Amino acid sequence: MGAEQIFQCFVNGIMSGSILILVALGLTMIFGIMHIVNFAHGELYMLGAFCLWIFFAELQVPYILALILSMIIISGLGMVIERFLFKPFRGDLAPSFIISLGLVMLLQTGTLLSFGIEDKAAPTPSGFHGLIHFGGAVLSKERLFVILISAILMAGVWLFIQRTKPGQAMRAVAQDQDAAALQGISIDATASLAMGVGCALAAAAGCLMAPIFYINPYMGAVPIMKAFVVIILGGLGSIGGAFIGGFIIGFVDSFGSTYLSAPIAAMMTFGILILVLIFRPQGLFGHA
Amino acid sequence: MHKKYINYIVVLAVVALLFLFPQIIKNPYYIRVWTNTFYLIVLTVSLRMILMTGQVSIAHYAFMGIGAYTSALLVTKVHWNFWLTLPLSGITAAVVAIGLGYVTLRIKGSYFAIATVALGEVIRMVWVEWKGFFGGMNGIMGIPSPSPIGGLSFGSMPSYYYFALLLMLFALAILYRMDNSRYGMTFRSIALADNLAESAGINIMNYKVFAFAAACFFAGLAGAFYSSLQHYISPMDFTVFESIMLIVFLVVGGRGNILGPILGPAVLSWLPVLLEQIPGYKPTVLPIIDGAFLLVVMLFMPEGIIGIQARVRSSINRIRKPEKEPVPSEELA
């Protein structure tokens, strides 16, 4: 107990924070560029996990390959959704919000009908079984694996947004759509790209969590709620804010549920959300 | 004849038919579907009142839950008469709404919608976590039927039917009056341009809280009714998903006038009854149909079912007088 437990909570906080960041990054990118609140983002996370289950658990494809395949498929699906359902409502908050609610129902129930209600389990990727003893603390390799892969993905996204032309285009569109269009940036292509990248990240988060938790059609509901808290905490549309917000909520979650109880931790999370909205509605790192 | 009188006659005829329905069609299943439709209409019409001020609340079922828990606790723990707890449930929900409204209604647009999701979940977690008082996840069981009143003794489905019908008519009468009063106009002005409304001397915060509390009052009444109908309530009855369904009703029906939130729940509650006639139909498909309904309505008829009438009229007008501009559709509520 004591220091070891605190360390363990810390590692768990980093893990759940990383997963939340992967989900929240897509959400905040989609909001920043298209001004759409995509409630169905959690369903793309869920579908990502189902893709992994099909490839990795059923077809015996190696884990990393299954992860990449799942990211590609879900990002394609996301682009199709963007083109046909979100594009007509770009910049229009209420209708696009309702569209995404309709999508939640379609995707959840569609998955339920195709795969059934029973929980599915994906095995642990080979080589990551077992525990590591670190000082007095016991850590599972599986969780360290999750942290490692999500760190790689997060670094990739950060570099993509900061250093590449399409990433700069995304930032430009998020800042000022008209000015960006005047510079010759295609808004349609940028929106499509943002949706694709965001959905790929959600799928990756789903794939990483799949071996740890069960896979079922309703698994997207909790991460999406928390991801909303994260992006509001960090500031809607702010990439940096999503990173900070993700770790804050991840730590509140892991320390809260260890030292208090899981419902109290959830209550604290939502309490933080309401407090931030009241006192700093633009988020910690957002602009008014 | 004047158009106004035709409307009155149609409304009276529909109400008369609804009163006669359990006498003509004795099928308890159909009576039950209507009963559910009635309290869903109360919820949807009152939710529209919040939407009129330009805010979307996804916590409406949580406020219904506050009403349901108030009534259920008073009836089971201190053995109050249900009819005393009914107005109290509405008032409790409204008081909580006033308190929370002054805090959360400072937030606008999608931020408010997301905040209400959180609000609804926090309210639900109070019920889950505070086991001694609210019964935790097990909820409250054995809620008795209301005591007999005015010739209705609550042993059978038709008595609940009439209770729900009267509750709905009461809610509709008041909310319709509000819709067509200064209040309705003020709510719309806040939705259209809140800073303009403010500079015209309207205290927008008070009006927003008033709309929110009034809507939650009716949600509380519906909650008390629900607890007596089900004889059992738990935190799982008042989830975000249920609140989202109300938004589906509202969007499918249409937001332009009060007819939309009446038609939305009616159509979507009777749709499964019709679908059951199809051989091989499974009830698990229903959310797909609801979701598809929502997408189709948003993409192709953003004014909802009530928009059809205006659209048909405008196309008829266009055929008659092709040079004239089409009739503008209803303004948004």
Side-chain angles (χ1 to χ4, degrees):
Chain A
M1 287 299 127
E4 293 83 17
Q5 197 180 14
I6 291 173
F7 183 68
Q8 241 155 341
C9 277
F10 183 76
V11 173
N12 280 341
I14 297 226
M15 185 193 76
S16 50
S18 312
I19 295 295
L20 280 181
I21 291 168
L22 290 182
V23 179
L25 276 176
L27 212 52
T28 208
M29 271 158 58
I30 291 162
F31 182 86
I33 287 161
M34 292 177 266
H35 288 273
I36 281 175
V37 177
N38 182 14
F39 233 75
H41 208 63
E43 273 46 58
L44 294 158
Y45 163 91
M46 176 270 290
L47 287 174
F50 268 95
C51 274
L52 182 95
W53 178 74
I54 293 171
F55 287 118
F56 180 54
E58 298 288 292
L59 301 176
Q60 310 289 330
V61 175
Y63 182 85
I64 295 292
L65 190 62
L67 174 82
I68 292 167
L69 278 173
S70 160
M71 285 171 73
I72 292 170
I73 291 170
I74 300 303
S75 118
L77 176 69
M79 286 183 193
V80 171
I81 290 173
E82 197 279 327
R83 172 67 188 78
F84 291 103
L85 293 176
F86 286 165
K87 200 176 164 198
F89 301 102
R90 212 176 278 162
D92 216 348
L93 274 174
S96 61
F97 183 69
I98 291 164
I99 284 277
S100 72
L101 292 181
L103 262 176
V104 169
M105 295 173 149
L106 279 180
L107 296 177
Q108 257 181 13
T109 318
T111 317
L112 178 72
L113 290 176
S114 330
F115 295 99
I117 188 85
E118 305 84 33
D119 286 339
K120 313 261 179 296
T124 308
S126 54
F128 291 93
H129 293 280
L131 302 165
I132 293 179
H133 293 271
F134 188 86
V138 183
L139 302 170
S140 79
K141 283 190 192 166
E142 202 177 19
R143 292 188 177 216
L144 294 176
F145 175 73
V146 171
I147 294 174
L148 177 74
I149 299 280
S150 33
I152 294 171
L153 285 169
M154 285 190 279
V157 171
W158 184 258
L159 286 177
F160 171 73
I161 288 171
Q162 297 297 330
R163 293 293 156 88
T164 63
K165 275 263 172 201
Q168 282 174 337
M170 274 166 59
R171 280 190 292 149
V173 174
Q175 256 176 29
D176 189 331
Q177 225 176 73
D178 297 332
L182 281 173
Q183 302 300 316
I185 296 171
S186 159
I187 307 288
D188 285 353
T190 312
S192 188
L193 182 70
M195 187 76 179
V197 173
C199 292
L201 292 174
C207 293
L208 289 173
M209 287 319 267
I212 298 182
F213 292 136
Y214 287 109
I215 304 166
N216 69 49
Y218 302 103
M219 66 186 281
V222 174
I224 187 76
M225 290 284 192
K226 287 185 182 160
F228 269 124
V229 179
V230 166
I231 65 170
I232 287 181
L233 188 60
L236 277 180
S238 157
I239 302 279
F243 280 99
I244 308 286
F247 284 123
I248 292 177
I249 297 302
F251 286 135
V252 168
D253 227 31
S254 81
F255 282 96
S257 42
T258 308
Y259 290 99
L260 300 160
S261 76
I264 297 269
M267 229 147 111
M268 277 164 65
T269 310
F270 290 124
I272 292 176
L273 171 70
I274 293 173
L275 287 180
V276 167
L277 281 173
I278 292 163
F279 294 109
R280 206 177 150 76
Q282 73 272 34
L284 298 177
F285 301 91
H287 305 285
Chain B
M1 202 162 22
H2 198 279
K3 196 180 161 235
K4 203 173 166 188
Y5 293 112
I6 300 176
N7 284 349
Y8 276 135
I9 290 168
V10 170
V11 169
L12 280 176
V14 170
V15 171
L17 269 179
L18 287 175
F19 267 100
L20 288 174
F21 183 84
Q23 311 300 327
I24 303 165
I25 291 157
K26 304 253 191 242
N27 186 335
Y29 175 55
Y30 292 156
I31 295 175
R32 175 65 194 244
V33 175
W34 268 127
T35 310
N36 287 350
T37 309
F38 294 154
Y39 82 75
L40 289 174
I41 288 175
V42 173
L43 288 168
T44 315
V45 173
S46 59
L47 182 65
R48 176 171 165 269
M49 180 70 65
I50 304 175
L51 192 73
M52 277 171 73
T53 64
Q55 308 274 42
V56 182
S57 167
I58 313 185
H60 215 48
Y61 251 84
F63 284 96
M64 175 191 176
I66 291 176
Y69 269 93
T70 308
S71 168
L73 285 172
L74 286 173
V75 168
T76 55
K77 295 217 166 155
V78 281
H79 304 289
W80 278 27
N81 189 318
F82 173 80
W83 301 105
L84 254 167
T85 69
L86 179 66
L88 265 178
S89 327
I91 292 166
T92 313
V95 168
V96 175
I98 291 172
L100 294 173
Y102 271 109
V103 182
T104 51
L105 283 163
R106 296 163 41 148
I107 314 161
K108 280 196 256 174
S110 53
Y111 289 90
F112 178 77
I114 298 170
T116 56
V117 172
L119 197 64
E121 281 301 293
V122 170
I123 292 172
R124 239 164 53 78
M125 266 150 208
V126 171
W127 298 327
V128 174
E129 191 59 17
W130 208 348
K131 293 185 187 69
F133 197 64
F134 295 109
M137 280 310 271
N138 295 328
I140 300 172
M141 277 172 264
I143 301 163
S145 304
S147 49
I149 190 168
L152 284 176
S153 60
F154 285 85
S156 59
M157 211 48 232
S159 52
Y160 280 106
Y161 175 95
Y162 285 115
F163 179 13
L165 179 58
L166 289 171
L167 185 67
M168 178 189 80
L169 291 176
F170 170 67
L172 283 181
I174 290 182
L175 291 168
Y176 180 75
R177 278 300 300 148
M178 268 174 80
D179 197 355
N180 292 299
S181 68
R182 266 194 95 79
Y183 288 107
M185 232 151 53
T186 312
F187 294 159
R188 286 194 182 87
S189 75
I190 294 171
L192 281 174
D194 55 352
N195 35 17
L196 200 60
E198 195 162 30
S199 65
I202 292 168
N203 185 330
I204 54 170
M205 196 60 197
N206 283 352
Y207 275 96
K208 277 186 191 174
V209 173
F210 176 67
F212 191 55
C216 291
F217 173 78
F218 288 105
L221 292 186
F225 169 76
Y226 178 85
S227 74
S228 78
L229 173 74
Q230 298 287 338
H231 303 294
Y232 166 69
I233 51 170
S234 88
M236 290 315 289
D237 294 345
F238 311 106
T239 59
V240 172
F241 183 79
E242 313 291 337
S243 299
I244 287 174
M245 271 315 287
L246 292 182
I247 294 170
V248 176
F249 292 150
L250 198 50
V251 171
V252 169
R255 291 152 287 174
N257 60 44
I258 202 161
L259 204 58
I262 297 173
L263 287 177
V267 169
L268 288 181
S269 305
W270 282 91
L271 184 71
V273 179
L274 288 178
L275 290 173
E276 276 158 19
Q277 308 303 320
I278 301 167
Y281 164 78
K282 278 189 263 137
T284 38
V285 192
L286 194 61
I288 292 201
I289 293 164
D290 286 342
F293 234 98
L294 197 59
L295 294 188
V296 168
V297 166
M298 283 314 293
L299 287 170
F300 303 111
M301 36 194 260
E303 278 135 30
I305 296 172
I306 53 167
I308 296 173
Q309 192 201 4
R311 208 178 267 198
V312 169
R313 199 179 296 156
S314 82
S315 47
I316 291 171
N317 282 354
R318 225 175 304 159
I319 295 162
R320 276 197 197 143
K321 308 172 208 135
E323 75 281 10
K324 219 178 144 189
E325 281 288 298
V327 178
S329 47
E330 292 273 349
E331 88 277 25
L332 87 163

